[in-house]
Amino acid sequence: MDLDRQRYPIGKYVQPERISAAQRSAWIEEIAALPDLLEETVSGMSEQQLETPYREGGWSVRQVVHHLPDSHMNAYMRFKLSLTEERPVIKPYKENLWAELTDSQRTPIEVSLRLLESLHKRWVVLLHSLSEKDFQRTYYHPEYQKEFTLESVLGLYAWHGKHHRAQISALKQRMGW
């Protein structure tokens, strides 16, 4: 399997041209389901397996698990900022450097699994409360010099969880775990 396929086992995210209410609902359900699915994916993995990179030059399984709540906490806060401010400018973060910090390298994965579970429960409550108009609210991302609607970000983060789960699942399959 080539490295690009290992990096993007479900392919890169492609934003649909039109996003329906049904599509948003499906994405919300994917976000709601992620904590249980991720826990199922990593269940029973040994410490040695958790330290294995999902691809050559990639993060360890442990780093991937810790990355998900880091990333999704930022997304959740961006949603809240967008719902309470007009076109806020968000703060980018250096995810690769965050993955190198001690908490991402040494903390038991159960801590991030519980964090992701709690975070997603709150996020899903918020998402279910949003109107069509709310999903059109935006934030500005200075790194990309682009404005993002909340509905587009919703799709991205539904994909994001599946993307990282697939990285771990593909590693387990390649290794025969």
Side-chain angles (χ1 to χ4, degrees):
M1 181 182 273
D2 68 30
L3 287 181
D4 202 48
R5 182 77 176 135
Q6 287 179 15
R7 189 171 184 183
Y8 296 101
I10 63 170
K12 293 184 180 182
Y13 180 65
V14 177
Q15 178 70 47
E17 281 188 37
R18 296 194 59 200
I19 300 170
S20 67
Q23 178 63 75
R24 285 195 307 268
S25 291
W27 285 337
I28 292 169
E29 293 313 309
E30 289 173 9
I31 287 171
L34 177 63
D36 288 341
L37 294 171
L38 179 63
E39 187 161 12
E40 181 181 300
T41 301
V42 298
S43 178
M45 292 183 78
S46 70
E47 287 297 309
Q48 182 178 358
Q49 291 169 335
L50 292 172
E51 296 308 321
T52 305
Y54 75 90
R55 66 172 172 86
E56 185 179 325
W59 291 339
S60 69
V61 172
R62 180 183 311 279
Q63 288 171 299
V64 171
V65 170
H66 291 314
H67 163 71
L68 281 162
D70 285 350
S71 173
H72 291 201
M73 278 190 287
N74 275 281
Y76 176 64
M77 296 310 296
R78 292 168 182 179
F79 266 76
K80 291 185 78 129
L81 288 167
S82 296
L83 291 166
T84 60
E85 300 175 19
E86 289 303 317
R87 195 179 173 262
V89 177
I90 58 94
K91 171 86 171 83
Y93 71 102
K94 298 184 182 316
E95 64 181 33
N96 287 333
L97 296 179
W98 284 34
E100 297 300 323
L101 294 172
T102 304
D103 66 318
S104 294
Q105 303 236 3
R106 296 197 187 140
T107 304
I109 62 168
E110 291 75 20
V111 173
S112 280
L113 291 172
R114 296 294 70 80
L115 180 57
L116 190 70
E117 177 182 35
S118 295
L119 172 64
H120 277 226
K121 283 181 181 177
R122 290 256 329 253
W123 196 8
V124 167
V125 168
L126 179 67
L127 292 170
H128 279 302
S129 75
L130 301 185
S131 68
E132 174 83 31
K133 187 176 177 183
D134 290 334
F135 278 109
Q136 301 314 308
R137 293 185 66 90
T138 64
Y139 65 74
Y140 181 78
H141 198 306
E143 186 177 335
Y144 298 109
Q145 298 186 2
K146 183 177 172 187
E147 197 167 329
F148 290 87
T149 64
L150 292 183
E151 73 177 2
S152 69
V153 175
L154 176 64
L156 175 64
Y157 280 91
W159 169 87
H160 186 252
K162 292 187 298 189
H163 160 70
H164 284 302
R165 268 192 62 240
Q167 289 172 333
I168 297 167
S169 295
L171 169 67
K172 288 173 68 175
Q173 185 175 2
R174 282 194 315 278
M175 301 298 280
W177 297 339

